[in-house]
Amino acid sequence: NVTVSIAAVPVALTSVVANTTITTSINQGSDAGANSASSTVTVTSIADVTTTLSGSQVLVVGQPSGPYTAVFTNSGPGQATQVTQIITLPVGATMTAAQVTASGGTYTAGTGTTGGTLSLGTAPVTLANGASNTFNFTITAPTANGTNQVSASESHRRWNQ
């Protein structure tokens, strides 16, 4: 058995070839040569997509709130594929048609016990190494007092295939 460990993969690396040769002094019959084997392992780079969300920390009951800025960034080293960019609104928060249009996203209303979601960009998208997508949006705060939170999330394929 041969084990090859790679701690860091340069972006330009596409494969690793491991060669082994085994020579013994035991009688090998009619095969007097060395025994050898070769194997190629394809290496794919990964992507590291992070999300930051900034904006108003205070929601006034039933009033427009924001603006908020969501930034989705691929720190690489590989390209991120099938990236979804989603904002989850507080339970009871809504978006008017004008707010949805201005965001460039697609709004799905919450159920009463879950917050609505705002899908940003044409999902899924591809983010190159070092690329970012930035979105600005506003919401209408819930009509009931309480603790509320706006959150951002993303999902993506970490290995390109």
Side-chain angles (χ1 to χ4, degrees):
N1 291 340
V2 175
T3 302
V4 177
S5 298
I6 302 171
V9 179
V11 174
L13 184 65
T14 58
S15 66
V16 173
V17 178
N19 293 307
T20 63
T21 302
I22 301 171
T23 304
T24 64
S25 61
I26 299 174
N27 183 356
Q28 296 177 357
S30 63
D31 183 5
N35 295 315
S36 66
S38 178
S39 178
T40 301
V41 177
T42 302
V43 177
T44 55
S45 57
I46 62 170
D48 181 16
V49 179
T50 58
T51 305
T52 57
L53 180 64
S54 60
S56 175
Q57 299 297 311
V58 178
L59 299 175
V60 178
V61 175
Q63 298 298 308
S65 181
Y68 295 95
T69 300
V71 181
F72 301 88
T73 303
N74 180 8
S75 299
Q79 172 177 278
T81 59
Q82 299 183 5
V83 179
T84 59
Q85 303 160 130
I86 298 173
I87 304 298
T88 302
L89 306 182
V91 173
T94 59
M95 292 186 78
T96 65
Q99 288 171 322
V100 173
T101 300
S103 75
T106 303
Y107 172 66
T108 302
T111 64
T113 58
T114 62
T117 58
L118 176 62
S119 297
L120 298 165
T122 305
V125 300
T126 296
L127 279 176
N129 177 18
S132 294
N133 283 342
T134 301
F135 300 93
N136 296 302
F137 64 97
T138 60
I139 65 171
T140 300
T143 56
N145 288 324
T147 303
N148 296 292
Q149 179 178 351
V150 179
S151 62
S153 64
E154 57 74 29
S155 65
H156 65 283
R157 178 177 285 163
R158 293 185 62 86
W159 292 271
N160 293 324
Q161 298 175 351

